[in-house]
């Protein structure tokens, strides 16, 4: 069983790297700090199981990743938490209220959408801009609902990657700032 001084060594050895690892997913220093603390509390709570762990570093980082993803899912469902997270993204937050900046962001999205196949673009516009359901679009276009879903998943992946590459933030946060 792990003793408190062993835990202190483990904490001092891995704290900074776990925090930095979490920050890559959370995009927020404050949230990364909080989640890192929670991960180490979980490690302490499960200390009796650590004897069976072969690769402690891998165990801690896997726990950090899983805990972070769970927390981000919860945050994405909470408007107040998402507001707090967005406030820590200074570059986009500073300019999000500026009409010119919003226009540039919309132009960026339009440019990305122009690069996807026309069928996917049509399906995206029908679903997102016109608010039609997958079933309605499938009926309109004479294809299966599953085909509609596949087009939408592909389009969303392209948008997600483009936003992350250009701005370094998740698509959901980008859209939240844009539509705020």
């Amino acid at each position: 069983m792990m003793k408190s001084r062993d835990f202190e060594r483990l904490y001092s050895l891995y704290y900074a790297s776990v925090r930095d690892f979490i920050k890559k997913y959370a995009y927020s220093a404050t949230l990364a700090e909080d989640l890192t603390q929670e991960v180490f509390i979980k490690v302490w709570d499960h200390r009796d199981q650590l004897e069976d762990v072969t690769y402690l570093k891998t165990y801690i980082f896997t726990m950090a990743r899983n805990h972070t993803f769970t927390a981000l899912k919860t945050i994405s469902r909470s408007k107040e938490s998402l507001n707090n997270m967005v406030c820590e993204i200074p570059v986009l937050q500073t300019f999000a209220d500026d009409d010119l900046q919003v226009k540039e962001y919309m132009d960026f999205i339009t440019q990305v959408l122009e690069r996807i196949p026309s069928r996917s673009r049509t399906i995206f516009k029908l679903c997102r801009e016109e608010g039609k359901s997958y079933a309605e679009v499938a009926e309109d276009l004479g294809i299966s609902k599953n085909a509609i879903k596949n087009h939408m998943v592909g389009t969303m992946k392209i948008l997600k990657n483009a936003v992350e590459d250009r701005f370094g933030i998740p698509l959901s946060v980008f859209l939240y700032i844009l539509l705020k």
Side-chain angles (χ1 to χ4, degrees):
M1 179 176 277
M2 179 181 278
K3 296 177 182 162
S4 63
R5 75 182 118 105
D6 294 332
F7 178 78
E8 289 172 15
R9 275 186 277 192
L10 185 72
Y11 183 88
S12 64
L13 181 64
Y14 291 114
Y15 181 83
S17 55
V18 168
R19 182 199 59 223
D20 294 344
F21 174 77
I22 290 173
K23 190 175 178 188
K24 289 178 186 176
Y25 293 103
Y27 299 96
S28 162
T30 304
L31 182 59
E33 290 283 341
D34 291 345
L35 293 175
T36 303
Q37 293 291 333
E38 292 169 9
V39 166
F40 279 99
I41 289 169
K42 285 178 112 174
V43 169
W44 179 253
D45 288 346
H46 295 97
R47 65 188 175 276
D48 55 330
Q49 298 170 5
L50 294 179
E51 294 171 358
D52 299 331
V53 174
T54 306
Y55 300 102
L56 190 57
K57 182 177 180 180
T58 302
Y59 176 83
I60 292 170
F61 278 85
T62 300
M63 184 181 283
R65 185 197 65 213
N66 293 342
H67 184 67
T68 301
F69 288 165
T70 300
L72 290 174
K73 282 182 198 173
T74 303
I75 288 169
S76 72
R77 293 183 185 118
S78 163
K79 189 172 184 173
E80 182 180 338
S81 296
L82 193 54
N83 272 336
N84 292 338
M85 190 172 155
V86 166
C87 287
E88 290 202 31
I89 305 174
V91 175
L92 289 179
Q93 185 62 29
T94 303
F95 299 110
D97 295 329
D98 180 5
D99 289 340
L100 180 61
Q101 193 68 37
V102 169
K103 183 186 177 323
E104 287 180 22
Y105 293 156
M106 292 303 291
D107 288 346
F108 172 76
I109 294 293
T110 301
Q111 289 170 5
V112 172
L113 290 174
E114 287 173 358
R115 293 192 306 250
I116 64 173
S118 63
R119 182 72 152 189
S120 293
R121 187 171 47 251
T122 299
I123 290 169
F124 182 83
K125 287 181 179 183
L126 289 169
C127 291
R128 293 293 187 234
E129 292 175 14
E130 294 183 22
K132 290 187 174 187
S133 70
Y134 287 6
E136 291 171 321
V137 175
E139 188 176 320
D140 290 351
L141 298 179
I143 59 178
S144 73
K145 238 173 46 171
N146 199 39
I148 300 298
K149 179 183 173 188
N150 290 338
H151 280 280
M152 288 299 292
V153 166
T155 300
M156 294 307 290
K157 281 183 182 178
I158 291 168
L159 281 171
K160 173 188 171 293
N161 291 335
V163 168
E164 286 179 357
D165 289 347
R166 174 83 179 270
F167 301 107
I169 61 171
L171 178 61
S172 58
V173 173
F174 177 81
L175 293 174
Y176 178 80
I177 292 168
L178 193 60
L179 302 173
K180 192 173 178 185

